[in-house]
Amino acid sequence: MKIATIIGARPQFIKAAMVSRVLRARQGVREILIHTGQHYDNNMSDVFFDELEMPVPDYNLGISADIQGAQTGRMLEAIEAVLITEKPDWALVMVILIVPWQEHLQP
């Protein structure tokens, strides 16, 4: 079974580290680690991979800072290309919600 794990930010790295250890220890499971590159410098990315003993991502999409909509669109486009190439059985998406406008929605 092939599982694509998609990560891009610090909270996702922490969650994925635990899941990745379990997946990679299971016989017959191949994890494809996809890093969007959303957090791209050493202090926001590499240090977590080192300290959490995470494997080097199979793909680093290099999607760095931009306005939120453009960044999200580029991520979706690049992730889709990897999923089409790799054809995983499952895709595991570690998410965090970014809702900068939420204070405007409250009464």
Side-chain angles (χ1 to χ4, degrees):
M1 177 187 332
K2 188 189 290 190
I3 300 174
T5 301
I6 303 166
I7 57 175
R10 292 168 294 173
Q12 299 163 359
F13 303 154
I14 294 165
K15 294 176 203 174
M18 294 179 279
V19 173
S20 185
R21 275 190 205 98
V22 172
L23 292 177
R24 290 171 186 262
R26 294 194 58 110
Q27 191 169 6
V29 175
R30 177 166 179 246
E31 182 187 36
I32 305 298
L33 190 58
I34 304 168
H35 183 346
T36 64
Q38 179 182 353
H39 285 179
Y40 49 87
D41 71 16
N42 185 51
N43 290 329
M44 295 181 73
S45 183
D46 297 346
V47 69
F48 287 89
F49 283 85
D50 294 341
E51 290 186 12
L52 296 171
E53 299 177 358
M54 290 180 65
V56 173
D58 298 284
Y59 293 88
N60 188 323
L61 305 178
I63 311 291
S64 58
D66 201 342
I67 60 173
Q68 187 176 358
Q71 184 179 35
T72 302
R74 290 189 359 248
M75 282 183 205
L76 290 172
E77 187 175 46
I79 290 166
E80 180 182 35
V82 172
L83 296 178
I84 288 169
T85 298
E86 290 289 343
K87 297 176 179 47
D89 299 296
W90 293 92
L92 177 60
V93 182
M94 301 288 176
V95 298
I96 57 170
L97 295 176
I98 303 171
V99 188
W101 57 86
Q102 73 184 23
E103 69 268 7
H104 302 291
L105 300 176
Q106 298 174 1

